[in-house]
Amino acid sequence: MDKIVTGDEGDSREIHETDEKTLEIPSDFIRDAIRDDLAQGRFDRVHTRFPPEPNAYLHIGHAKAVWIDYGIARDFGGKFNLRFDDTNPTKEDQEFVDAIIEDVKWLGADWEDRLLFGSDYFDQMYDWAVELIKKGKSYVCDLSAEELSKTRGTLTSPGIDSPYRNRSVEENLDLFARMKAGEFPDGARTLRAKIDMASPNIVMRDPFMYRIRHTEHHRQGAKWCIYPSYDWAHGLEDSIEGVTHSLCSLEYEIHRPLYDWFLEQLGVYHPRQIEFPRLKLPYTVMSKRKFIELVDGGFVEGYDDPRMPTLAGLRRRGYTAESIARFCRRIGISKADSVIEWHVLEDCVREELNASAQRVMAVMNPIKVVLTNYPEDQVEYVDAINNPEDPSAGTRKVPFSRELYLEQDDFREVPPPKFFRLTPGREVRLRYGYFIKCEEVVKDENGEIVELRCTYDPATRGGDSPDGRKVKATLHWVSAKHAIPVEVRLYDRLFVKEDPDDAEEGQDYLSNLNPESVQVTTAHIEPSVTGAQPGARYQFERQGYFCVDKTSSEGNLVFNRTVSLKDSWAKIAKA
RNA sequence: UGCCGGAUAGCUCAAUUGGCAGAGCGCCUGACUCUGGAUCAGGAGGUUCUAGGUUCAAGCCCUAGUCUGGCAGCCA
């Protein structure tokens, strides 16, 4: 039986037996390809990497990539590296390195001791470039960026050779060394691979390997003034690290021939690149440039604005790492470049929070209710279940008194059909409290309802009627004098169009911003949440899941709505 | 222009070498009878884009066609 071993320093510990264990690994086209590679002996272990460029915050699309890279390594008992692809100093920053590390850690991917940086291999890459020059496979080109793009040809016509293409090896070596030494200004020269200017694949038309950039690198400082291109660097980084499967998104597909070409010319260890489609979600944007514009333009509060699809934003919104992992598992990996609806992610977080979130009662739009037959100064503490899905979560005491707040939506003076909540003359249950009956509607001079006068049935304490009487609705409530006012932020989609780029003539995606993407309101909440710390998650009964925002403080609690509960009444009411 | 992909339930997507076409949401029904428009369980729902072909057997392989998406930077 074939044994698959792992470890790149000869610690060939046995992890799987192909015929049996790998069959238990979920199937998708990438895992299948890897399984096949192992079975055919093309590789004898699995080693992946997640290679972000530290120039932006990670978003939900990266979470999919992380879960493919890390998930596959884990499934096959292999290794996973977190590697920063920091080859372009002009856009990169330590701030992003730190944020990305936090995000990947939060997601739950484990890179063990392999936190790596592509820039740490610059010396090796340089030596390899010299080697390619010596082999006549690379040359220094003096064409400007503009000239280069002109001579590259078009989608329909071949490019033309650079006049510098046939420089001697000696001259190339000399020029390249001087490029490195800093003798030339930015953009004056490039090092290019000598491949084929007539290739139908434009990526193969003598792509550049190094450009001159007199810019300090966030990690390497001023050591370098020439920086490698993605195409040149990426395969080398994978090779150096002993990566077996270099998994990347579909836009790199046409780069694969170049990835392979460099490694073949060098004759070094050669990983396999496999591409998968990026995650797409409607009503949002996922590009670094647009994130920056949204933040700098003040359209959102920051990279961690709860409306943003960034991991920082989703985290602040209340999404858990587990719900995101669940989401990634559910959508799987296929070759189709598909758009996944938000409700898939929302279901995932509801599923998890339904099982784990502490229940609490909060009234968003209060209507005052006075229990006319309830003693003036009496206060009772009723037992409320913390989580009906989890008995071990126990119970808590909630104060009940003569004056209460109910949800405005839970009362209709003239009820529409199928409305089972409070209405004049009808009896309903107050959750964990009593049955109450609406006797009178008090209005001000403008005809606006100011309060409801109800009676309660003392025999129904706790919510049960000894005579077996039934009510159709159970409403949440708070005691008016015990309730704490808190700030609540209700979020909606950031853009009004599925594809924000689908804008009117002369307009861009910013014109599609949803003006109602956030609604700030005050809720009256039961006192048990006093002292809730940022990040704490609750279900506001009958409403949704909320978490305490980072701006929250002891005296001024702030909640973000992660997601509402499913609400089919909203649809019935609309119809 | 080249390369790659997709077309499957009302919607968004799955389907390991060809072997009874699945999930989530939506819809319908039921259970719980203190979230009763929450939650849970069950059910209905498909001529797999079209026309041919190979095969005992085709969503999958082959041929032709129609529609549709992505990529093509001195970014990664």
Side-chain angles (χ1 to χ4, degrees):
Chain A
M1 184 166 295
D2 292 342
K3 304 290 191 213
I4 298 167
V5 294
T6 187
D8 36 17
E9 295 105 35
D11 59 328
S12 45
R13 68 197 149 93
E14 194 179 301
I15 45 169
H16 279 134
E17 301 189 343
T18 7
D19 296 351
E20 292 163 16
K21 293 276 179 61
T22 64
L23 289 177
E24 293 165 15
I25 296 170
S27 172
D28 55 59
F29 81 94
I30 296 178
R31 273 173 249 251
D32 293 348
I34 292 174
R35 220 189 315 267
D36 193 52
D37 282 345
L38 296 172
Q40 302 296 319
R42 284 188 288 267
F43 293 98
D44 63 357
R45 66 204 161 79
V46 173
H47 196 149
T48 63
R49 104 268 93 115
F50 175 62
E53 184 187 16
N55 69 343
Y57 281 78
L58 259 30
H59 54 65
I60 180 76
H62 292 110
K64 172 181 176 178
V66 167
W67 276 107
I68 289 173
D69 294 327
Y70 172 65
I72 283 175
R74 192 194 49 191
D75 285 356
F76 285 92
K79 292 184 175 177
F80 165 78
N81 295 0
L82 173 57
R83 179 177 74 226
F84 287 93
D85 204 5
D86 53 352
T87 57
N88 184 358
T90 60
K91 311 191 325 182
E92 297 160 6
D93 197 274
Q94 184 64 36
E95 174 199 355
F96 296 118
V97 171
D98 297 337
I100 290 169
I101 289 173
E102 185 189 346
D103 284 344
V104 177
K105 191 180 289 177
W106 177 69
L107 283 174
D110 183 7
W111 59 85
E112 299 174 282
D113 59 349
R114 290 178 304 281
L115 174 61
L116 304 166
F117 293 84
S119 61
D120 287 348
Y121 315 138
F122 280 176
D123 285 307
Q124 173 68 268
M125 291 176 192
Y126 180 83
D127 291 345
W128 273 332
V130 168
E131 200 177 317
L132 272 202
I133 293 173
K134 287 179 180 165
K135 285 183 176 172
K137 298 291 184 182
S138 177
Y139 62 97
V140 172
C141 178
D142 299 359
L143 254 25
S144 69
E146 199 183 333
E147 291 165 327
L148 195 156
S149 104
K150 254 183 230 157
T151 54
R152 189 167 32 232
T154 67
L155 302 179
T156 52
S157 61
I160 54 170
D161 287 359
S162 161
Y164 308 99
R165 197 172 199 259
N166 293 312
R167 285 216 251 235
S168 68
V169 168
E170 292 67 33
E171 190 182 3
N172 281 322
L173 251 18
D174 173 60
L175 253 16
F176 187 48
R178 290 165 60 192
M179 279 170 65
K180 184 194 180 196
E183 288 189 28
F184 312 116
D186 285 5
R189 291 189 158 90
T190 55
L191 184 71
R192 292 225 260 163
K194 193 189 281 188
I195 308 179
D196 177 11
M197 288 306 292
S199 171
N201 183 349
I202 294 186
V203 172
M204 298 298 274
R205 319 239 260 230
D206 288 12
F208 86 96
M209 295 162 59
Y210 279 93
R211 73 283 226 190
I212 300 172
R213 287 260 197 286
H214 289 271
T215 306
E216 285 218 4
H217 187 277
H218 68 95
R219 191 174 168 80
Q220 304 299 328
K223 181 176 177 186
W224 297 87
C225 63
I226 55 172
Y227 290 95
S229 68
Y230 166 85
D231 287 309
W232 169 242
H234 204 86
L236 305 183
E237 293 166 5
D238 289 339
S239 182
I240 289 166
E241 294 178 11
V243 163
T244 57
H245 298 272
S246 183
L247 311 176
C248 59
S249 50
L250 236 29
E251 68 262 31
Y252 296 107
E253 203 168 13
I254 58 166
H255 294 251
R256 193 187 337 133
L258 183 53
Y259 180 99
D260 292 333
W261 189 87
F262 281 131
L263 294 170
E264 273 162 30
Q265 297 307 317
L266 254 18
V268 296
Y269 167 72
H270 192 155
R272 175 180 180 187
Q273 174 177 309
I274 302 176
E275 310 84 11
F276 57 85
R278 323 166 83 128
L279 171 66
K280 286 195 210 161
L281 288 166
Y283 302 105
T284 191
V285 292
M286 297 260 224
S287 85
K288 297 164 186 175
R289 193 199 95 221
K290 288 171 184 163
F291 286 171
I292 291 167
E293 288 173 358
L294 287 170
V295 172
D296 289 354
F299 300 106
V300 295
E301 275 183 42
Y303 291 100
D304 67 346
D305 186 295
R307 292 166 292 179
M308 291 282 271
T310 52
L311 294 180
L314 292 168
R315 186 162 57 230
R316 187 171 167 195
R317 174 83 169 253
Y319 279 91
T320 61
E322 168 54 29
S323 66
I324 289 172
R326 199 182 290 236
F327 171 71
C328 292
R329 248 178 276 131
R330 190 178 288 183
I331 63 177
I333 320 169
S334 72
K335 286 180 188 166
D337 203 2
S338 49
V339 177
I340 308 294
E341 294 179 346
W342 275 99
H343 77 73
V344 178
L345 214 205
E346 292 169 348
D347 285 343
C348 289
V349 76
R350 278 196 198 100
E351 218 171 283
E352 187 193 347
L353 263 20
N354 178 46
S356 65
Q358 160 86 39
R359 268 61 168 177
V360 107
M361 291 194 285
V363 172
M364 300 289 198
N365 300 299
I367 181 170
K368 192 175 179 186
V369 170
V370 177
L371 269 21
T372 53
N373 59 339
Y374 194 89
E376 198 81 41
D377 296 318
Q378 181 171 309
V379 176
E380 291 176 83
Y381 285 84
V382 301
D383 290 312
I385 294 169
N386 286 332
N387 184 349
E389 305 290 320
D390 176 15
S392 71
T395 60
R396 66 186 186 286
K397 300 283 188 188
V398 182
F400 186 92
S401 66
R402 188 169 196 262
E403 295 193 358
L404 307 169
Y405 289 137
L406 260 60
E407 208 67 65
Q408 280 177 21
D409 286 348
D410 283 339
F411 173 79
R412 289 293 183 83
E413 191 170 13
V414 182
K418 292 188 181 176
F419 185 86
F420 302 142
R421 285 118 93 151
L422 197 61
T423 190
R426 182 183 291 164
E427 187 173 51
V428 298
R429 170 167 41 234
L430 295 184
R431 180 147 233 227
Y432 306 121
Y434 295 93
F435 282 14
I436 65 164
K437 189 174 186 178
C438 180
E439 309 285 0
E440 187 190 350
V441 179
V442 182
K443 297 180 181 176
D444 62 16
E445 59 275 16
N446 300 319
E448 299 292 321
I449 298 173
V450 291
E451 71 175 46
L452 265 22
R453 299 185 78 79
C454 303
T455 53
Y456 84 113
D457 177 355
T460 58
R461 180 168 185 187
D464 288 313
S465 168
D467 62 8
R469 212 155 77 236
K470 283 187 178 175
V471 290
K472 282 198 157 182
T474 300
L475 310 182
H476 61 276
W477 52 273
V478 287
S479 165
K481 70 177 167 198
H482 297 93
I484 305 173
V486 296
E487 181 176 329
V488 168
R489 298 171 182 169
L490 307 174
Y491 297 104
D492 197 356
R493 50 181 60 138
L494 229 200
F495 291 91
V496 294
K497 285 203 177 167
E498 268 189 52
D499 175 8
D501 285 321
D502 176 21
E504 298 292 317
E505 191 68 30
Q507 301 274 0
D508 64 4
Y509 71 103
L510 291 172
S511 68
N512 284 324
L513 276 164
N514 178 5
E516 293 168 2
S517 59
V518 60
Q519 185 193 335
V520 180
T521 182
T522 299
H524 298 268
I525 195 166
E526 61 171 76
S528 71
V529 300
T530 305
Q533 295 301 306
R537 297 184 176 82
Y538 296 90
Q539 183 196 101
F540 289 5
E541 296 226 25
R542 304 208 300 140
Q543 306 198 85
Y545 296 98
F546 293 74
C547 79
V548 180
D549 190 66
K550 69 173 188 181
T551 61
S552 188
S553 63
E554 189 70 43
N556 183 25
L557 286 172
V558 180
F559 289 87
N560 294 320
R561 183 173 67 193
T562 306
V563 65
S564 66
L565 249 31
K566 283 188 229 167
D567 182 9
S568 19
W569 168 249
K571 263 165 265 158
I572 294 173
K574 230 180 256 180

